[in-house]
Amino acid sequence: MMSSEHLTCGWLQQLLVVLLKLCLSFAGPLRPLNGTECTAKGPASYILVFTGHWSPQAFPKQYPLFRPPAQWSKLIAVSHNRHFRLWEEGAPASAGVQSFAEIGVTVELMKAAKEARKRRTVGAMYRTAGIPNGIGHSSTELLMQPRSSLLSLLVKMIPSPDWFVGVDSLNLCEGRQWKQEVTIDLQPYDAGTDSGFTFSSPNFPTSPPENITKITSQLPNHPANSFYYPRLKELPPIASIKITRQIRSPGHQAPMSNHILPNSISPQRFSATPLDCEVSLWSSWGLCLGPCSRGGVRHRTRYILLRPANAGVPCPELEEQTECVPHSCMRVQ
């Protein structure tokens, strides 16, 4: 005769089996997050071209001309699956992203990517040399695998407090097919770790750190910000990427070098961004010289903070005068 203990164990086992079947029936088959599963039969080769559009015509406000002039850091790109994020808008910057966005150092980024590669969430890492001007090109070849069909990349803006452009988890595969070509205009992002307002702001750590946010023509909403253009609905693209699939033939590989623009790509031209004049507040009124009752006048002045450019609103008058009132007269001895 079976003991009550054995009967209890058997009853619990049957109950667990029933519960498990119910859970599976309600859950249905497992699906990949956001449809990122790639079922292509083999890898795909791409050429990635990064183009900087950071010009004094498109971005005239506080445009860096020297020490250092406007330029781009090396490009860092990672192929990965849905279990890895290099960076994400609205999320805190990792230590690697902070180090790269603030001072252009890639050690922590590469370390994190290598650790993720051991866990098979990262496929490969790529980089290009920096671009010594605001306008220029760099390129690299990508070999994308079905198991890591997502691409993320970062490029730091130099000089800047912690600003960068980038792409987060771009999927180059749709089901069984690799995409043939992808072009994306890039906007600046703030890593949220430095509170500087201008390109050349001194180091001013944000405490506590904030999330990564997109910089717009009105955000941060402060006239001192280098990207503050209240007349614009949106900023023109400050950079762009073009990713083109390549047909790999045995024994032949076209070399790609930085700053050499492929024949199939022509540089984009954007209209000049108007920059309005900005002036200081008026000074206080000066004392009056001359007799108050016979046309004595007093003056006040202001000065130019930012000169207009690209057909922006011209500067207003910088000096103003008005008649004296008796209590502000100064008699000349």
Side-chain angles (χ1 to χ4, degrees):
M1 189 172 184
M2 295 182 67
S3 66
S4 60
E5 183 176 339
H6 284 88
L7 288 172
T8 302
C9 290
W11 177 79
L12 287 173
Q13 288 177 350
Q14 291 178 357
L15 179 61
L16 288 174
V17 170
V18 172
L19 289 174
L20 181 61
K21 288 181 178 179
L22 285 173
C23 290
L24 290 175
S25 64
F26 280 111
L30 293 175
R31 296 181 181 180
L33 182 65
N34 296 329
T36 57
E37 183 181 21
C38 178
T39 56
K41 293 184 178 180
S45 176
Y46 289 91
I47 293 295
L48 182 154
V49 178
F50 172 85
T51 304
H53 307 299
W54 188 11
S55 70
Q57 289 74 37
F59 300 92
K61 187 173 183 180
Q62 303 166 3
Y63 187 82
L65 296 174
F66 52 88
R67 296 183 181 180
Q71 57 190 276
W72 299 97
S73 77
K74 65 190 73 171
L75 177 147
I76 302 298
V78 176
S79 64
H80 58 92
N81 62 23
R82 62 189 176 91
H83 299 292
F84 176 84
R85 283 311 256 283
L86 183 66
W87 69 278
E88 180 182 2
E89 182 180 359
S94 65
V97 171
Q98 177 180 356
S99 180
F100 182 72
E102 290 187 6
I103 57 178
V105 175
T106 63
V107 175
E108 290 296 328
L109 272 180
M110 291 295 98
K111 182 180 178 181
K114 288 177 181 178
E115 289 297 321
R117 188 162 60 179
K118 293 178 182 178
R119 301 190 299 270
R120 297 182 180 274
T121 58
V122 162
M125 295 165 283
Y126 307 91
R127 70 174 66 192
T128 71
I131 303 173
N133 304 295
I135 302 175
H137 311 273
S138 63
S139 58
T140 186
E141 185 174 4
L142 310 174
L143 184 61
M144 304 295 293
Q145 300 286 347
R147 65 176 179 273
S148 52
S149 62
L150 305 181
L151 182 72
S152 295
L153 61 88
L154 291 168
V155 188
K156 172 178 170 54
M157 298 179 61
I158 302 173
S160 74
D162 59 342
W163 302 341
F164 67 91
V165 298
V167 171
D168 173 30
S169 303
L170 171 66
N171 197 351
L172 293 177
C173 181
E174 287 182 337
R176 299 181 180 181
Q177 301 294 325
W178 291 103
K179 295 179 181 178
Q180 296 300 311
E181 184 176 288
V182 177
T183 301
I184 301 177
D185 290 331
L186 303 179
Q187 300 288 346
Y189 283 88
D190 186 327
T193 59
D194 191 293
S195 297
F197 265 133
T198 66
F199 296 121
S200 56
S201 293
N203 187 36
F204 185 23
T206 303
S207 183
E210 299 175 354
N211 292 337
I212 297 173
T213 56
K214 181 184 289 187
I215 300 173
T216 70
S217 60
Q218 299 182 45
L219 184 69
N221 189 13
H222 195 289
N225 187 268
S226 294
F227 286 110
Y228 184 71
Y229 295 95
R231 289 177 58 184
L232 299 182
K233 291 184 178 180
E234 59 183 21
L235 293 172
I238 199 167
S240 63
I241 60 165
K242 186 171 185 178
I243 305 172
T244 308
R245 190 177 180 188
Q246 303 295 297
I247 303 300
R248 296 174 64 88
S249 56
H252 177 74
Q253 183 174 353
M256 293 289 293
S257 55
N258 290 313
H259 322 309
I260 304 300
L261 191 63
N263 294 330
S264 60
I265 300 176
S266 58
Q268 298 184 45
R269 297 187 180 275
F270 301 101
S271 59
T273 300
L275 183 64
D276 298 339
C277 178
E278 294 181 11
V279 296
S280 67
L281 297 175
W282 285 109
S283 67
S284 57
W285 286 104
L287 294 174
C288 286
L289 292 175
C292 291
S293 60
R294 288 184 294 163
V297 293
R298 55 180 180 165
H299 296 77
R300 66 176 182 175
T301 59
R302 56 186 174 184
Y303 55 90
I304 297 174
L305 296 173
L306 187 67
R307 295 190 177 276
N310 304 329
V313 174
C315 294
E317 294 294 331
L318 301 177
E319 185 174 351
E320 198 173 59
Q321 67 179 33
T322 187
E323 292 184 1
C324 294
V325 291
H327 67 268
S328 65
C329 286
M330 181 177 70
R331 295 182 180 178
V332 179
Q333 301 293 330

